[in-house]
Amino acid sequence: MNKEKGKGKFVSNFGFLMASIGSAVGLGNLWGFPYKMGKNGGFAFLLVYLLLVVTVGFPLVMGEIALGRRTGKGGIQAYKQIDSKFTFNGWFAVLAPVFLLCFYSVFGGYILKYFIANLGDLFNLSFGVGGANSEAFFGNFIGAGLEPLIYTIIFHIATIIIVSLGISGGIEKFSAFAMPTLTVMLIIIVIRACTLPGAMAGLEFVFKPDFTVFKGTGILKVLGAAGSQMFFSLSLSSGAIIAFGSYLDKKANIEKNAAIVTFSDTLIAILAAMAVMPAVFAFNLEPSGGPGLLFVSIQAVFNDLGKTGPFFGTLFYLLVLFAALTSSIAMAEGTISAMLDAQISRGKKPNRILMSFIVMTLTLMGAILVCIDALGSKGLWHPFGLGTWLDVFDLLAEGILMPVGGFFLAILLGWVKPKVLDDELRTGSDYKTEKFFKFCFKYLATPILFFITLVQLNEFFGIIKF
Ligand code: PHE
């Protein structure tokens, strides 16, 4: 099945780019970004976001790729080789995707269902949405017990198959096909959405500059929302980028690659905002956040679009499916890569198929809990009174492991060993951004990641109200 030697390698720089952009572009771009932007001052949010992407996101992506390529290892051993006192941070990075997968796959399963249902509508088959009220349709589906579980398992299996096929044979091949296709589909949807009568209101919701949001503590709120969004969207501190960096050719230009990944992720988030919100506003729907946006409001748009609805619906959910799959395979690889290292250091032959199977079985347990809890509507028991199972896994990954991991990465590269990656970054690139990179790591990434961690924790525990 997997004919690669050792842990595998990307065959081309393009493959690395598609896999990394695929990791970055996910549900965070498609449903998180448009809504958060609209709710936090539109263009004002975008300005803060862009500033953060350039000064914090780009250096962190560059640092993680270089960390991976220099050591040739996944999260845990990469940190260990650079500074053994920071090995714990490798564990953070490798554990985060385990919790992420516990809920990401459930959404992946829902998306698969919606793709199939829209396909059903397209061909007038019995499993279509059939114009049903989109809120009722969603509620019935997620509460149905077995059906959402089957879709979640199928999504999980698709992820295992791709990662088991290896870096060049699975992840690279799939991403190199899925990402360009996704971009074309997204542009078609943007054109359709922006030419609907009434689309302007949606564009206004997303892009209208509202600088009054900066008043008082408002600026902190915007900074927190933009910072956490950026961090998740760029797949930072989740082992994925370090692992992909370790499979990258020594001749490749890390500086340029990091810039392309960061730029593309941001561009796709903006395009997503231009696809989603104009359509929602054109039909006078609720510009909600979270699952309500993706599965209720957007499906209502396709229901209202008349004959062409199922066509655009099928296209849209396929696009989201690709985005979710390229993200879930990156998450899985973030953990698998470190497990393969552990096998190699024990003198064993790395067994990718077995490791993929172990990671996915483990995360399936969590996904089953999230799925049968039906996003909390079933009121299943959950620990610590922290909300739903989805909230628990999200808190562990996005709330704790990822931002804390990012903070310690900034401490390591900004303060403890600022020169450690210099040679690696000079291999294949001019490293023109050296001064900028070092300054940003030291004085911006460190305090901003500390702040993002506080904001994330506050979000879950609601200590301070902004
Ligand atoms: N960046 C992805 C998104 O926006 C999520 C992700 C996080 C993917 C961590 C891989 C690793 O949805």
Side-chain angles (χ1 to χ4, degrees), residues 14-37:
F14 178 75
F16 163 82
L17 278 175
M18 291 304 107
S20 307
I21 298 172
S23 157
V25 171
L27 301 181
N29 303 56
L30 295 163
W31 87 33
F33 186 84
Y35 178 71
K36 286 187 194 158
M37 191 169 158

Side-chain angles (χ1 to χ4, degrees), residues 23-29 100 104 232-235 238 240 327 330-331 402:
S23 157
V25 171
L27 301 181
N29 303 56
L100 287 177
Y104 217 80
F232 183 73
S233 191
L234 288 173
S235 308
S238 61
S327 286
M331 287 171 193
M402 292 170 77

Side-chain angles (χ1 to χ4, degrees), residues 379-397:
L380 209 68
W381 175 88
H382 48 261
F384 321 120
L386 278 177
T388 63
W389 275 103
L390 169 63
D391 295 334
V392 173
F393 294 131
D394 196 23
L395 167 67
L396 289 168

